[in-house]
Amino acid sequence: MFGSNSPSVVIACIGFPNAGKTSIFNKLTGSHYSAVNYPGSTVQYNLCTTTVNGSRIHWIDTPGIVTFSPHSDDERVTHTVLTRLDSIVPDATTTPNLLVYVADAFQLERHLMGLRVLQTQGYPVVLIITRSDLIKKYGGSIDIRRLEHEIGIPVYFVNSHTGAGLPSIDTVVSHVPPSADRCLIPDSAQLWKEASDWAISVTRTTWVPPISRHSLDRWALHPRWGGVVFILIMALFFFVIFSGASPAMDAIDAAWSLITQMLHTWLPSGRWTTLVVDGVIANIGAVVVFTPQIFLLFLATGILESSGYLARAAVIVDRPLSKLGLSGRSFVPLLSGSACAIPAILATRTLPHKTQRLITLWMIPLMPCSARIPVYGLLLVMLFHGDPIKSAVGMVGIYAVSIGVAVLIGKIVSLYSRSAADSFYIELPRYQMPHWPTILRNASRHTFQFIKKAGPAILVVSLAVWGLSQFPSVESSWLVRLGQWLAPLFAPMGWDWRIGVAILASFAAREVFVSVLAAMMALHADGVPAQLIATHLPALTTPSILALVVFFMISMQCGTTIALIRKETHSWTIPIAMTVAYVVLAYLAALVVAKSGALFGCLTTG
Amino acid sequence: MSVLSQLAIHESAIIENVGGDSSHAMRLIALGFTPGSVVSAVKESVFGGPRVFSVHGGDIALREFDADLIHVRLK
């Protein structure tokens, strides 16, 4: 059927959001897929290649869609897969050879409408209905043979957790028709209306228990208590991330200091030992130490999402966000931004309006991302000398002020952009127990991606700083000269030249601030472990430390963020404007804080 | 004829048609607000935000802007 010269066969997995598509894709392909970038953009999709009877078969997972007339960037990917597949998979035909359409058993009527529209457009389809276990549990009945007869295509009823009922890869491939003629008529309201009548008629004999409205919504969406529940869940979210990660982070930190100390005793002391131990190994440690926190952030977001609460949270914050010209849809990108701007920027692809996307993009770099946490951690140690309660309160304060600044900037940008969205609709998925294997896998994948993205930047900067600090001689190195040359710039805030150098280095990635300070301390005070930086730093006044906090809150210091915004907006103007605005604003805000703090100090003491 | 946003809580109606620009109307229809189907208001809004409607067995939250576009006949 598939000769070696003919185009390769592509099978695309497609469905509404929350239909359970990704877990079906994972089960079908045995999770042996890799995330691939859509050519010319950062939109990722999952691709898996298998060989069945000597033919290469590509499996593509697509973002969930509502209609087949794309509206946001991720819907555009699905649309491209459906209509211009050869632009993604070079050796494919223009349309997929077979669609695996995934529908939720509890939403059968609605989800079958999409199937009908695709069928009308001439696509060969296989239907997979998910959640057979829950239908059985609640006493529903779906006659699969009858549906198969009525729709005229193969239908499978699958337990998405165990995979029971799922056809084998070979079986799915056997449904690929030898050739097919697609009439790519665009979808229209009329087409959907007809599809609805059809869906009602084919599902007339099925009975699905109406359990979509769970008693949990009595609280989660209560006119008054809904807000309280939201705040409690968010508080728990951040508490779990910070307190849950700290034992693992302490362990990694301790292990790393042990390793570096041991290497220092074993290796002959000299320039090259410092390079390997303080330059390379210590800086790898500075990245690795974040991984528990980032992993927990992605894990907690995954739990919120797969439990169904994230959609409710979007409904709760829709009204406040509408004041910024945004909608509840911006909640997920902004929440992700408190982990890392990179996945947050990628999440803005789901936003349907350019203006909404732009405002959200302006706000994301101001969200308190995890790269700032070690910096704040160090500064809080300096402020409160390790008092855990004061530090925790300080961290909450930093978060609150950061979000306040982001809202303010969002408001300013919305005032200068034409018309924001008036529309907002979101499907509320049924509450369900999180599917742990999927969540764990996604969290590990995201954590690994973070290390891959941030790691090299941190390593290169650290090595550059090491190099600058060693030549021509340690006493009067280029780094010392550079620091002293730039000192006037940082003097008004009461920042030491070493802090100036660390700030400069932190423009590659914020967390470098801590490791560079550590590296410089090691130079001048022989083998000082990172946690002692605070006590070894030249005394900074409280206003100077607060000024540093404010600087890191606002400043744009992440090369990856700038590069990604450029890619996503296809413009240099936006990332450049953002960088200049946030660096200047950060400097001015730090100046104001330092000066007014000093003034306040004079008034209170004098 | 009234619009969906006028529906009181727990009240049901039959969808007559969906207004607004054609691509937006198609989206609302694809979400399940198809003419002829029964819709009911199930949740009051939180802070005056979106309200939740039930249609074709699914729960969908809509802003007033969208609910105003859906014309219904009270049952």
Side-chain angles (χ1 to χ4, degrees), chain B:
Chain B
M1 198 160 68
S2 23
V3 288
L4 192 55
S5 48
Q6 294 169 322
L7 224 59
I9 218 78
H10 303 313
E11 205 175 10
S12 301
I14 293 165
I15 298 173
E16 293 269 282
N17 61 64
V18 181
D21 73 84
S22 61
S23 92
H24 192 65
M26 179 168 77
R27 230 148 233 283
L28 291 173
I29 291 172
L31 272 171
F33 295 99
T34 43
S37 40
V38 177
V39 62
S40 55
V42 293
K43 276 274 159 209
E44 212 40 81
S45 65
V46 185
F47 310 137
R51 293 173 80 198
V52 182
F53 299 95
S54 174
V55 67
H56 287 294
D59 282 2
I60 291 154
L62 289 183
R63 259 192 199 173
E64 203 175 325
F65 174 84
D66 302 274
D68 277 343
L69 295 175
I70 300 172
H71 298 274
V72 295
R73 175 162 42 86
L74 292 178
K75 269 178 112 178

Side-chain angles (χ1 to χ4, degrees), chain A residues 233-243 297 335 338 399 403:
Chain A
I233 289 180
M234 285 300 114
L236 186 70
F237 178 84
F238 286 109
F239 176 79
V240 165
I241 289 159
F242 289 127
S243 65
L297 257 158
L335 183 71
S338 62
Y399 265 68
I403 292 167

Side-chain angles (χ1 to χ4, degrees), chain A residues 481-501 503-505 507 547-548 551 583-584 586-588 590-592 594-595:
Chain A
R481 286 184 220 172
L482 179 72
Q484 277 156 359
W485 182 66
L486 285 171
L489 196 60
F490 301 115
M493 280 78 102
W495 296 342
D496 179 53
W497 67 267
R498 279 171 290 190
I499 293 191
V501 169
I503 287 180
L504 217 58
F507 275 88
L548 267 176
F551 185 83
V583 170
V584 170
Y587 186 85
L588 293 178
L591 193 65
V592 168
K595 289 295 176 202

Side-chain angles (χ1 to χ4, degrees), chain A residues 544-566:
Chain A
S544 297
I545 303 173
L546 287 177
L548 267 176
V549 171
V550 168
F551 185 83
F552 273 89
M553 230 180 237
I554 302 172
S555 187
M556 176 75 128
Q557 291 162 289
C558 177
T560 325
T561 301
I562 298 170
L564 193 59
I565 291 177
R566 205 229 56 86

Side-chain angles (χ1 to χ4, degrees), chain A residues 171-215:
Chain A
T171 313
V172 175
V173 173
S174 73
H175 296 310
V176 174
S179 72
D181 295 316
R182 252 60 100 211
C183 51
L184 291 176
I185 43 170
D187 56 346
S188 61
Q190 184 55 32
L191 205 58
W192 281 94
K193 166 81 182 77
E194 283 164 19
S196 159
D197 295 340
W198 174 85
I200 292 169
S201 103
V202 297
T203 54
R204 67 188 178 276
T205 55
T206 65
W207 189 78
V208 173
I211 57 148
S212 57
R213 213 163 310 117
H214 201 280
S215 55

Side-chain angles (χ1 to χ4, degrees), chain A residues 149-181:
Chain A
H149 178 73
E150 298 241 10
I151 308 177
I153 58 167
V155 180
Y156 299 92
F157 197 20
V158 176
N159 175 335
S160 0
H161 287 197
T162 64
L166 197 70
S168 71
I169 282 192
D170 297 21
T171 313
V172 175
V173 173
S174 73
H175 296 310
V176 174
S179 72
D181 295 316

